[in-house]
Amino acid sequence: MHSDPIADYLTRLRNAIKANHRVVEIPASKIKKELTRVLYEKGYIQSYKFDDSSVQGTIKIALKYDPATKQSAIVKLERVSKPGLRKYVHLEEMPRVLNGYGVAILSTSKGVITDKEARGLNVGGEVLCYVY
C-alpha cells in the first residue's frame, strides 16, 4: 500500500526518464489518469493508453524525447502538496513555474488543470506538482 500515490506516479516517471525507457507502466487511479491527460495536453509525454483489463487497471505512458539530443521533454517533476502538508493556493497566490515556461498542476473544483487554466477559470486549489 502506498501512502502517497501521486508521489509514486511521479517517481515512476522520473525513474523511467533517467533509465531512458520509451514506455512506463503505472497502476491507475482517477487522479493519475487526469495527471496523465494534463501532461499529454501540455506536450510532456508522447502518448498514453488506459488498460482496464485488470481490477485496478494500468496506465501505459510513452515518454517523449528529442530525436537529436535524446533529452527528455520532462526536465523535472516536483511534488508540492504532500499528505503530511497540503498546499492550497488562492487565485492571487497562484505559482508561476520557471516564469511561465513550466506548469503547476492543480486539483480544483473544476477538475485537474494547469495554473494557466486556473487563472482563466478564476479558481484556486491544491497544488499537486510542478513540471518543467
Side-chain angles (χ1 to χ4, degrees), residues 14-111:
R14 235 181 271 120
N15 290 343
I17 290 166
K18 282 189 178 175
N20 289 324
H21 287 275
R22 291 279 172 222
V23 178
V24 61
E25 201 168 311
I26 300 169
S29 73
K30 286 182 183 178
I31 192 95
K32 291 179 193 176
K33 286 180 179 180
E34 290 300 305
L35 277 169
T36 305
R37 180 189 55 78
V38 170
L39 288 174
Y40 177 73
E41 286 174 359
K42 293 298 160 193
Y44 287 108
I45 58 176
Q46 194 170 351
S47 65
Y48 63 93
K49 185 176 142 193
F50 300 135
D51 183 21
D52 296 325
S53 60
S54 63
V55 175
Q56 184 177 5
T58 57
I59 305 169
K60 288 186 180 175
I61 300 172
L63 299 171
K64 190 179 201 177
Y65 294 97
D66 184 1
T69 63
K70 306 289 188 226
Q71 278 264 309
S72 172
I74 299 172
V75 176
K76 189 167 184 178
L77 290 162
E78 185 180 335
R79 179 79 161 116
V80 178
S81 185
K82 300 175 174 123
L85 181 63
R86 300 285 184 191
K87 176 95 162 89
Y88 297 97
V89 293
H90 295 286
L91 184 66
E92 300 84 36
E93 346 169 309
M94 195 72 64
R96 283 177 51 109
V97 183
L98 277 184
N99 208 18
Y101 286 110
V103 295
I105 300 177
L106 291 96
S107 176
T108 67
S109 57
K110 308 280 187 200

Side-chain angles (χ1 to χ4, degrees), residues 6-20:
I6 298 170
D8 177 59
Y9 171 88
L10 297 174
T11 301
R12 285 175 190 247
L13 279 177
R14 235 181 271 120
N15 290 343
I17 290 166
K18 282 189 178 175
N20 289 324

